Amino acid sequence: MEGYNFKEVEEKWKKKWKEQKGFKAIDFSPKPKYYVLTEFFGVSGKGIHMGHVKANVPTDVIARYKRLKGFNVLYPVGWDAFGLPTENYAIKTGEQPEKVTEVNIENFTKQLESLGMSYDWDRQFSTSDPKYYKWTQWIFLQLLKHGLAYKKRGVVNFCPNCKTTLSNEDSQNGECDRCHGKVEQRERDVWYLKMTDYADKMLQDHEHCDFPEYVKAMQRNWIGKSEGAEVDFAISNTDKKLKIYTTRPDTLFGVTFMGIAPEHPLLNELQDKILNINEIKEYQEQVKNKTSFDRLVGKDKTGVKIEGVYAINPINNKQIPIFIADYVMMGYGTGALMAVPAHDGRDYEFAKKFNIPIIEVIKGGDIEKEPFVGDGELINSDFLNGQNVEQAKQTMIKYLEQKGIGTKKTNFKMQDWPFNRQRYWGEPFPVVICKHCGYVPLPESELPLKLPKIEDYKPDDNGDSPLAKAKDWVNCKCPKCGKDARRETDTMPNWAGSSWYWLRFLDPHNDKEFVSQDKLKYWGAVDLYTGGDEHVTRHMLYASFWHHFLYDIGAVPFEYPFKKRLCNGLVLGADGNKMSKSLGNVVDPMDILTPYGADAFRLYTMFSGEYDQNSIWNEQGIKGCVKFINNVWELPKLMTNEDKISEKHEVLLNRLIKKIEDSIENFTHNTAISDMMIFVNTIKQDGFITKEELKEFLIILNPFAPFITSEMFEKVFKDDILQQQFPTYNKDKLLENEIEIPVQVNGKVKGTIKIALNEEQNSVIEKAKNLLNLKETLKEIYVPNKIINLIVKK
RNA sequence: GCUGAAGUGGCGGAAUAGGCAGACGCAAGGGACUUAAAAUCCCUCGGAAAGAGAUUUCCGUGCCGGUUCGACCCCGGCCUUCAGCACCA
C-alpha cells in the first residue's frame, strides 16, 4: 500500500456512510438496546468548536463499540434552535433567526460528518420546527391543566441587555447566562412553572441515575432543602401577624430583633402606624436602585429600624423591635426572619452595628467575641433549658404546633421557574387572554400555534414582546366564549425545547402523539447521557422536573430519563484560559481536522487528557497520533498468511481486548489508545502479524478511528468492518506462561526472577533465595504470580 | 463560610482488590540517513552520589504522623489548588 492518504479515504467513507444509512436505530429490534445521547447542539454559531469535539467523540466511540458488540444502538442528533443564543446570533449577523438556524444546521451537519460521527441522521429535528414544538406546547397545556403553570405578578430577574425576564438558573452569580451582563430585579407578569412541587423528587434523582459525586452535590446545593418552622409574631396594636421562617426554632428565646425584606408587603399595610415611614420609603428606593449583584457583593449590613410598631415574641410576649434590612431576601422563606444574634453570624453583625442586645441561649461559646453556632446545652430558655440543640428543636416545634403559633416547615432555595421571555424566537404560549374568561388554554386540536413571521423581531426597550407587533396573529377569538381576545405575546425560554427532547428521538416523526407508548416501552431511559456541567443546575433540573411530571400523569412509563450521567471537561486554550475571541486563543476544529485528518484528531482528543477533566490544547501532541495512524496503515506489510492468532501474540491481543472493553465502559479512552499504541509498537518490533490478528485489531480500533479501519478492512479482507463482531477475550490467556516477578527484601525490590505461571510456592521461594544468596529468612510473603517479599533480620 | 474534587518528571498523563512509581505520548538532548530541510529510524531522558564501564547505592508521588511484610493507593491531622454555591434565616 502507498502512504496513507487520509483525505481521499475519509471523503470516500463519509459519502458511503451517508448513502448507506448504516447507523440507523431499529425500533423493536430483538437485539438488546443501547441509548446513548450527548446534549444536542445549540446553533448559536456557524459551526462546531473544540468543546463539541471533546464532548461528542467519546460517545461516538461507545455507540460504534456497542454496535460491534451486537447492540441495537440509538445515537441521535438534534438541534436546540429556539431561544436567546440563536436569536442573539441572528441579531448580530442581521439575519432572520429562521434563516440562521437553517444555514447553521447545514454547516454543523457537514462538520460532524467530517468528524465521522455515526448518528442516526433520520431522527434529527430542530426545536424550532412546528412539528416538534407542537408537542412542547402540548406539554405546557398539560402543565396548565394540572395546575403547575400559573401567571402571577412577581419580582424576577431581568436582563436589560437581552431585554427579557430570566430564571434564577439563567442568572447565577447575578449575571445573565447569555450576555454576562448584570441582571436587575423587576416586577413583571410572569408565567411560573411550579418546579418546587418536585423539589423532593428531584433530590431523589440520584437513586435512578448514576451521577458523579460533585454533580449530586451541585444539585443538592441548588435545590437547597432546609427544615425548620414557620412562626407567627403578632404586631403591636394591630391584628396583623408577621410570619417568619427559621431553621432554629430552638433559639426562640434568644430573639432580639426582627428583620424584614425591603419589598415586604407588610410595610405597605402598616404605613399609617409607622412613625418614620418617610425614612423607610427612602431606604426602599435605595435598595431598588442596587442591582441584585450589588446587594450580594456589598456585604456590609444596612437597614432601618421601624418606629411605632414592634413584634411580640409568641413564647414569652417580649417586645421585639423590627428592622427593614436588605440582607433579608423577599424570595426566600416568608421574606422575614427572627434574628438571634448570639447564634447567627449575620444577625450578630447587624446587632453589633445597630447596638441591639444579644441574648445567649446555647452554652459553649464566648458571645462577647463572636456568635456561637455549634451544639450545646440550652440556657435562658425556660422549658428548653438543659436540652441539646436537636432535642430543643423538636420540643419547640411540638410546642408551637400545640399552641397554634407555628408549624413545622420545609423550605427550598430553588424557586418556581419563570417561564416567559419577552423575545421573538421561541415557542408561542398556547394561551389566549380573554377579558371575560381570563387565561384560556388553546384546544389541543389547534396545535401547533405557529410562530408568525415578522420583519422586525428585535426585542423592545420597554420589555414588550416583539410578537405584539403581529396584530393579525395577536387578535383572535376566545376559544371559550367566542368574543374578541388576544394571544399571549411572550414566548417560552430556550430551555423549553430541551426539557423533553430525548423522548422525541424515540419517535421523531409521530404526528399523533408526542411519542408512542410502544416505543417508550421498547427504548426506555437513556442509558448514558453526557454533556457539560454548566447544565447540571439548569437543563438537568428542568429535564428532571418535566419528566417527573410526565411520569405522574402517565405519559411516560419510567420515572427518570437517564440511567447514567457523565460530564466532559473543557478544552482550554494553549494559554490555559477558556477559549475566547477576546483572548485570541480559539482553535477551530476544522483547522486541525483538515491538515491531520479526522482519525488522528479523534484519537488525540481522547488521548491528550481525561474525559471529565479540562485539557489544555497543545497542537504539538497530535503528532504522536498521526504517527500511530501511519504505523497502523503499514501493518499489512507485516502480515503473514497465518489465519490463526500466533502463540507469541495470543496474550498480547487477549489483554488488549479486555483493556479496551474496560476503558470504553469507564470512559478512560486515553489508556485505551496507549494500549493500542503498545500493541502496534510490539508488532513492529516482532516483525509480523497474522491475518486473524490484524482483523481483530482493526475491529478494536474501529470505534476510535473509523475511517482508516474501514478502508483497511475492505482492502485487506474484502469485507465491511461494520458488519463484524467485536472480538472476545479468553480469561485464561491474560498472562504469559512464563512471567517475571520482583523479589523484595524487607519490602524493597532487590531483583527479579522468572517463574512459570502458577508455579509452586516453595519453588518460587527457593528461586528468590538463590537469587540473593539468602540462607535465613524470618518469613516469606508470596502473592501468586505478582511479587515475593523476603523478611530478614535487620 | 458551605459543598465537592484534586495534588505524581520540563509537559499531558499511567499505575485501585495495597504489590517493580513514572506506562503511552509530547517536548528536549545525542546519533543515523540527507547537499540541506522535512519525514523516518536508533539511543538518552525524576534527583543525588560512586565507578573507566556494564552497573551500584541513597532519596523521591503536597506536608506530618499511623496501619502493614509492603502505601501514590487505607486511616488521622495539616497545607495548597481548582470547581460549584453563597447575606437562603
Side-chain angles (χ1 to χ4, degrees):
Chain A
M1 293 191 195
E2 295 295 305
Y4 181 49
N5 183 339
F6 66 81
K7 281 208 171 86
E8 235 168 63
V9 169
E10 291 181 3
E11 210 47 52
K12 167 183 162 185
W13 287 97
K14 201 164 81 183
K15 243 195 222 150
K16 210 162 190 169
W17 292 332
K18 194 168 192 169
E19 284 161 10
Q20 288 177 341
K21 299 192 170 180
F23 307 114
K24 269 179 95 80
I26 312 295
D27 295 317
F28 311 117
S29 151
K31 287 180 178 178
K33 71 96 187 181
Y34 187 79
Y35 184 3
V36 53
L37 179 64
T38 297
E39 285 162 358
F40 63 170
F41 294 87
V43 286
S44 55
K46 256 190 239 148
I48 60 169
H49 52 69
M50 277 296 180
H52 287 130
V53 180
K54 176 153 178 148
N56 287 276
V57 168
T59 39
D60 186 61
V61 170
I62 200 159
R64 287 175 175 275
Y65 165 74
K66 289 281 182 182
R67 282 189 206 103
L68 291 169
K69 290 289 277 183
F71 285 83
N72 178 29
V73 171
L74 173 53
Y75 184 44
V77 63
W79 317 103
D80 192 13
F82 260 154
L84 278 183
T86 309
E87 189 178 343
N88 283 352
Y89 177 81
I91 291 170
K92 211 171 69 192
T93 53
E95 299 274 359
Q96 280 285 328
E98 199 178 354
K99 183 78 194 155
V100 161
T101 300
E102 199 183 301
V103 170
N104 287 1
I105 287 177
E106 205 175 302
N107 207 35
F108 268 80
T109 301
K110 264 192 222 151
Q111 298 186 345
L112 291 165
E113 283 170 349
S114 300
L115 249 189
M117 303 302 291
S118 64
Y119 298 125
D120 180 351
W121 290 96
D122 286 349
R123 290 180 187 247
Q124 68 176 304
F125 57 78
S126 160
T127 53
S128 59
D129 184 339
K131 288 189 200 121
Y132 177 79
Y133 71 70
K134 170 181 179 177
W135 299 106
T136 310
Q137 291 173 330
W138 178 83
I139 294 172
F140 177 82
L141 287 181
Q142 308 313 306
L143 286 160
L144 196 58
K145 208 158 90 186
H146 288 83
L148 288 166
Y150 61 96
K151 198 165 192 184
K152 193 181 103 174
R153 195 126 184 110
V155 178
V156 284
N157 303 298
F158 187 90
C159 173
N161 187 28
C162 294
K163 302 182 174 95
T164 184
T165 300
L166 295 173
S167 68
N168 282 357
E169 286 77 13
D170 276 335
S171 36
Q172 304 189 12
N173 287 323
E175 208 178 76
C176 170
D177 186 49
R178 295 320 316 171
C179 68
H180 303 291
K182 280 186 186 177
V183 170
E184 297 174 5
Q185 303 295 300
R186 285 201 191 169
E187 197 179 304
R188 304 197 63 89
D189 287 324
V190 182
W191 277 104
Y192 286 100
L193 297 189
K194 230 170 163 197
M195 189 155 61
T196 47
D197 271 16
Y198 281 86
D200 264 317
K201 278 201 175 156
M202 284 154 81
L203 280 169
Q204 304 301 314
D205 283 346
H206 62 260
E207 287 172 16
H208 305 280
C209 177
D210 179 7
F211 285 103
E213 209 44 52
Y214 75 99
V215 170
K216 283 188 212 167
M218 276 166 79
Q219 295 196 339
R220 229 185 294 126
N221 251 320
W222 185 259
I223 295 168
K225 182 175 181 169
S226 76
E227 280 166 335
E230 277 185 354
V231 186
D232 290 321
F233 283 63
I235 307 282
S236 62
N237 303 321
T238 68
D239 54 357
K240 298 203 185 311
K241 303 245 175 195
L242 178 60
K243 193 185 275 300
I244 60 94
Y245 173 72
T246 179
T247 55
R248 297 298 302 275
D250 54 307
T251 59
L252 258 163
F253 287 97
V255 176
T256 56
F257 69 98
M258 311 297 286
I260 67 174
E263 305 91 343
H264 201 286
L266 194 72
L267 290 164
N268 255 335
E269 294 169 26
L270 293 179
Q271 275 208 56
D272 305 337
K273 311 249 172 180
I274 299 174
L275 300 177
N276 58 339
I277 189 71
N278 288 335
E279 198 187 349
I280 300 289
K281 288 202 161 146
E282 204 176 293
Y283 182 73
Q284 285 176 317
E285 269 317 300
Q286 265 175 39
V287 172
K288 218 182 240 171
N289 290 334
K290 283 188 194 175
T291 64
S292 71
F293 189 69
D294 289 338
R295 214 166 135 179
L296 293 179
V297 163
K299 289 208 178 177
D300 197 28
K301 302 268 177 302
T302 68
V304 177
K305 185 175 177 184
I306 299 175
E307 305 287 355
V309 289
Y310 52 85
I312 295 159
N313 191 333
I315 51 154
N316 58 9
N317 292 320
K318 268 199 184 172
Q319 299 184 359
I320 313 280
I322 308 173
F323 284 76
I324 165 174
D326 73 345
Y327 83 92
V328 187
M329 303 283 135
M330 196 56 225
Y332 186 75
T334 61
L337 57 82
M338 62 176 223
V340 186
H343 306 290
D344 179 279
R346 296 148 308 191
D347 298 348
Y348 189 86
E349 198 186 315
F350 195 87
K352 282 280 174 196
K353 186 165 171 183
F354 288 87
N355 242 333
I356 303 166
I358 297 172
I359 301 173
E360 184 179 29
V361 290
I362 298 162
K363 238 203 258 179
D366 178 5
I367 59 151
E368 294 299 317
K369 284 200 196 127
E370 54 182 13
F372 173 66
V373 292
D375 195 4
E377 189 186 310
L378 271 282
I379 52 170
N380 302 326
S381 295
D382 195 350
F383 58 91
L384 297 179
N385 284 340
Q387 302 189 2
N388 68 27
V389 167
E390 209 34 56
Q391 290 167 331
K393 275 185 190 172
Q394 301 312 321
T395 312
M396 183 55 91
I397 287 174
K398 219 179 267 168
Y399 178 87
L400 291 171
E401 289 188 334
Q402 264 168 19
K403 298 272 170 182
I405 44 181
T407 48
K408 191 171 177 175
K409 170 87 185 180
T410 300
N411 249 320
F412 296 99
K413 202 179 72 127
M414 185 179 77
Q415 305 283 305
D416 282 342
W417 179 6
F419 196 64
N420 52 331
R421 303 288 179 267
Q422 293 73 40
R423 296 288 295 244
Y424 168 70
W425 190 236
E427 299 86 348
F429 280 81
V431 168
V432 169
I433 304 164
C434 172
K435 270 187 215 131
H436 314 279
C437 314
Y439 297 107
V440 182
L442 223 55
E444 286 178 19
S445 58
E446 284 184 34
L447 299 183
L449 173 61
K450 284 195 189 168
L451 184 67
K453 286 198 170 116
I454 55 176
E455 215 31 66
D456 179 19
Y457 61 87
K458 285 186 200 62
D460 204 306
D461 271 329
N462 54 31
D464 288 336
S465 176
L467 275 187
K469 288 180 222 158
K471 291 274 180 295
D472 292 350
W473 182 84
V474 172
N475 295 320
C476 63
K477 300 289 176 199
C478 170
K480 208 164 167 188
C481 69
K483 291 185 187 144
D484 284 348
R486 291 168 52 84
R487 294 191 194 282
E488 171 63 72
T489 55
D490 284 359
T491 54
M492 298 186 198
N494 51 310
W495 305 106
S498 58
S499 292
W500 70 284
Y501 75 107
W502 62 90
L503 295 171
R504 188 65 178 173
F505 281 133
L506 307 185
D507 197 5
H509 309 299
N510 193 336
D511 55 6
K512 301 279 182 298
E513 301 166 89
F514 78 118
V515 48
S516 87
Q517 289 299 314
D518 286 351
K519 289 179 182 172
L520 274 166
K521 272 182 206 128
Y522 174 76
W523 286 107
V526 179
D527 291 280
L528 174 64
Y529 187 42
T530 73
D533 47 43
E534 74 273 22
H535 286 137
V536 305
T537 54
R538 296 178 173 84
H539 159 63
M540 291 292 285
L541 292 180
Y542 297 144
S544 169
F545 164 43
W546 277 35
H547 194 95
H548 278 301
F549 166 70
L550 289 171
Y551 176 76
D552 281 356
I553 63 168
V556 296
F558 46 95
E559 210 177 334
Y560 191 73
F562 317 117
K563 288 189 187 162
K564 185 182 171 93
R565 166 78 184 189
L566 290 173
C567 294
N568 57 275
L570 305 171
V571 183
L572 304 176
D575 54 4
N577 293 306
K578 246 186 184 174
M579 285 193 183
S580 81
K581 271 186 202 138
S582 56
L583 289 172
N585 57 358
V586 178
V587 178
D588 182 342
M590 291 303 121
D591 290 344
I592 305 302
L593 196 141
T594 309
Y596 299 106
D599 284 332
F601 187 25
R602 286 168 63 106
L603 285 169
Y604 183 55
T605 300
M606 295 179 284
F607 181 65
S608 65
E610 292 160 284
Y611 171 78
D612 56 358
Q613 300 298 119
N614 292 346
S615 49
I616 294 174
W617 177 250
N618 167 19
E619 192 172 330
Q620 284 294 331
I622 198 171
K623 283 183 190 168
C625 292
V626 171
K627 268 187 217 166
F628 172 69
I629 287 287
N630 289 332
N631 285 339
V632 169
W633 185 253
E634 301 295 327
L635 285 179
K637 285 185 182 161
L638 303 176
M639 192 172 75
T640 65
N641 275 325
E642 195 73 36
D643 269 332
K644 282 187 298 201
I645 290 165
S646 67
E647 216 172 295
K648 182 151 196 171
H649 295 151
E650 195 175 25
V651 170
L652 182 71
L653 195 57
N654 263 284
R655 291 176 75 127
L656 181 67
I657 296 166
K658 180 176 189 321
K659 284 171 122 179
I660 298 295
E661 291 199 344
D662 293 348
S663 298
I664 291 179
E665 301 280 354
N666 297 322
F667 266 59
T668 50
H669 306 96
N670 48 348
T671 56
I673 292 163
S674 110
D675 288 329
M676 290 188 284
M677 287 174 169
I678 292 169
F679 178 84
V680 171
N681 290 347
T682 311
I683 293 295
K684 274 181 73 179
Q685 226 165 58
D686 292 348
F688 77 94
I689 183 166
T690 71
K691 270 190 193 163
E692 183 60 20
E693 287 164 17
L694 181 61
K695 202 174 201 173
E696 294 196 0
F697 176 70
L698 289 177
I699 298 168
I700 292 168
L701 177 59
N702 176 259
F704 299 84
F707 291 104
I708 188 173
T709 49
S710 297
E711 177 71 7
M712 287 176 71
F713 208 87
E714 187 185 72
K715 269 211 155 91
V716 180
F717 301 107
K718 317 275 181 256
D719 206 349
D720 180 1
I721 196 166
L722 299 179
Q723 304 309 316
Q724 308 301 311
Q725 284 283 324
F726 201 85
T728 51
Y729 62 90
N730 180 347
K731 272 204 296 280
D732 301 326
K733 296 287 182 193
L734 294 173
L735 282 175
E736 300 282 356
N737 285 327
E738 193 189 47
I739 51 180
E740 202 179 58
I741 62 164
V743 178
Q744 295 184 331
V745 176
N746 293 342
K748 292 205 166 159
V749 178
K750 295 290 175 188
T752 58
I753 52 172
K754 283 191 173 166
I755 62 165
L757 189 60
N758 299 325
E759 186 169 325
E760 194 66 22
Q761 171 158 339
N762 286 340
S763 143
V764 175
I765 291 171
E766 248 349 274
K767 275 188 189 168
K769 281 184 176 173
N770 287 341
L771 175 78
L772 300 169
N773 265 323
L774 278 173
K775 295 264 148 49
E776 284 197 27
T777 54
L778 297 175
K779 199 176 170 188
E780 304 91 16
I781 292 150
Y782 176 52
V783 184
N785 301 323
K786 275 236 165 106
I787 196 166
I788 179 154
N789 191 7
L790 306 174
I791 313 303
V792 298
K793 239 190 255 164
K794 282 180 193 164

